[in-house]
Amino acid sequence: MKKLRRSMLFIPGSNAAMLATSFVYRPDSVMFDLEDAVSLREKDSARLLVMHALQLSAYDGIEKVVRINPLDTLYGLSDLEAAVRGGADVIRLPKTDRPEDLYELEEQITRIEKECGRVEGSTGTMAAIESATGVVNAVDIACCSKRLIGIALAAFDYVMDMQTERGDGTELFYARCAILHAARVAGIDAFDVVYPDVNNDEGFLEEVSLIRKLGFNGKSLINPRQIELLHNAYAPSQEDVDYAHRVITAARQAEDKGLGVIALNGKMIDAPIINRAHSVIERANASGIRH
Ligand SMILES: CC(C)(COP(=O)(O)OP(=O)(O)OC[C@H]1O[C@@H](n2cnc3c(N)ncnc32)[C@H](O)[C@@H]1OP(=O)(O)O)[C@@H](O)C(=O)NCCC(=O)NCCSC(=O)C[C@@](O)(CC(=O)O)C(=O)O
Ligand SMILES: [Mg+2]
């Protein structure tokens, strides 16, 4: 069963209380942030707090991602040392513009893994794409490293680079499609942007409905109240599950009769529809039914 990565909750690395308790929200992944949620004067203390949080067994079963500062800043390499040595599952590299950014990251991770005795290759990476250059290079970025588990669009820096602002999503249309296609070409996951208005459930759910239909695996989140809403919206409905069972039964009967393509209630059923039916059942088993 493929790992679910619907929700990736940003937790500011400088907030000791949030770091110590956020496992209770059970997102698919937590993202301990050392970059933009942390002020310059708190960078060093946040790194220590995150290293400590990585050791907490209460996070077992939740993927632990650390967003480091870019490697060309004063903090990036120290962040990476702490995150890899601390046992992060995945390093999120912000502001990834080209494959070279990841080559450098990968080289450093391999060195640190060797030095601290971690299994070589056990630290995953993900690239956040936050500029027009990054979007244009998305396929090259997505395909450039075996460590990459996914790529994410980061809307706030991206819209600044594009000289526009966050709105109804029109401003993200091309970038979302480009990131998704790049992820699918590379066979990795695609993550959508954070939704900043934490009190607007209706707006959040509209955005989730759009990105689910487009095909994103999930979304970066900034508030725990968004997790349950997202997981529920990503779960298949009872109707979807019932239909998937009917498709699988019809497909088995067709196979017994030696038929390739059949119809169910006037609709063609062939291999892609049968594969989709299996994936609906798998998702229902993993995430429950939408309520
Ligand atoms: C938004 C708000 C201030 C609202 O506060 P509020 O106080 O109104 O929240 P409430 O709902 O009232 O909190 C109820 C309870 O949940 C606790 N709680 C809240 N948030 C929690 C959380 N995140 N983790 C754990 N716990 C949490 C809270 O402590 C309380 O606990 P308790 O007191 O015990 O009941 C707060 O959520 C928050 O700080 N969010 C994180 C913001 C952040 O990380 N920004 C940086 C990442 S984006 C970026 O950098 C842009 C990007 O780079 C993105 C990209 O790359 O994709 C790009 O370019 O686009
Ligand atoms: Mg950003």
Side-chain angles (χ1 to χ4, degrees):
M1 169 75 196
K2 190 177 170 338
K3 182 169 174 29
L4 285 178
R5 288 200 183 94
R6 300 158 297 180
S7 51
M8 196 168 278
L9 178 67
F10 267 111
I11 302 169
S14 50
N15 191 318
M18 285 185 190
L19 289 169
T21 56
S22 293
F23 51 83
V24 297
Y25 304 121
R26 306 315 290 176
D28 294 327
S29 316
V30 282
M31 185 161 29
F32 299 143
D33 187 20
L34 295 170
E35 200 218 10
D36 285 352
V38 176
S39 68
L40 290 185
R41 67 184 170 80
E42 288 179 308
K43 291 285 186 197
D44 294 330
S45 53
R47 190 179 307 121
L48 289 173
L49 289 174
V50 165
M51 200 165 173
H52 176 71
L54 286 168
Q55 322 290 318
L56 298 177
S57 57
Y59 281 106
D60 287 356
I62 302 175
E63 186 172 56
K64 290 172 286 185
V65 183
V66 176
R67 180 167 78 165
I68 63 168
N69 286 280
L71 288 176
D72 61 0
T73 64
L74 273 182
Y75 315 102
L77 192 54
S78 306
D79 294 348
L80 187 64
E81 292 271 356
V84 176
R85 287 171 195 273
D89 298 307
V90 177
I91 305 297
R92 174 157 161 149
L93 186 68
K95 305 184 173 70
T96 310
D97 283 342
R98 40 185 68 84
E100 287 72 16
D101 300 335
L102 285 162
Y103 298 153
E104 191 191 353
L105 180 75
E106 183 150 6
E107 201 176 298
Q108 294 292 350
I109 292 177
T110 304
R111 174 188 59 77
I112 301 165
E113 281 176 342
K114 274 188 195 141
E115 282 175 12
C116 72
R118 261 189 88 157
V119 176
E120 210 176 307
S122 61
T123 316
T125 57
M126 63 181 293
I129 293 186
E130 318 203 19
S131 69
T133 306
V135 169
V136 168
N137 290 332
V139 174
D140 291 343
I141 291 170
C143 296
C144 81
S145 165
K146 283 205 174 73
R147 287 185 190 263
L148 266 183
I149 59 106
I151 52 176
L153 179 62
F156 282 92
D157 281 294
Y158 172 73
V159 293
M160 275 208 327
D161 195 41
M162 293 301 290
Q163 303 174 18
T164 180
E165 57 192 39
R166 278 292 266 128
D168 63 3
T170 312
E171 72 288 356
L172 300 180
F173 186 68
Y174 177 76
R176 276 183 167 141
C177 295
I179 293 271
L180 258 172
H181 279 80
R184 295 298 167 253
V185 169
I188 59 177
D189 289 345
F191 304 96
D192 189 51
V193 304
V194 298
Y195 187 81
D197 187 353
V198 294
N199 293 321
N200 182 359
D201 289 355
E202 204 183 315
F204 175 73
L205 285 172
E206 251 175 54
E207 185 164 279
V208 170
S209 167
L210 171 74
I211 61 136
R212 193 176 64 84
K213 285 182 200 152
L214 284 172
F216 278 94
N217 298 80
K219 204 169 169 51
S220 306
L221 303 177
I222 55 161
N223 188 280
R225 284 183 279 129
Q226 297 173 325
I227 297 170
E228 168 65 22
L229 293 171
L230 176 68
H231 288 187
N232 188 47
Y234 260 72
S237 65
Q238 187 63 55
E239 209 184 341
D240 294 335
V241 173
D242 292 345
Y243 184 66
H245 280 300
R246 287 204 297 277
V247 167
I248 290 167
T249 308
R252 282 205 189 112
Q253 287 167 352
E255 206 180 311
D256 291 345
K257 290 182 194 154
L259 297 171
V261 181
I262 47 154
L264 180 64
N265 299 335
K267 280 193 190 152
M268 183 187 76
I269 306 293
D270 61 359
I273 310 268
I274 298 164
N275 290 343
R276 179 165 157 68
H278 283 291
S279 94
V280 167
I281 309 277
E282 247 184 41
R283 270 198 297 130
N285 289 339
S287 64
I289 308 275
R290 193 182 312 154
H291 49 78

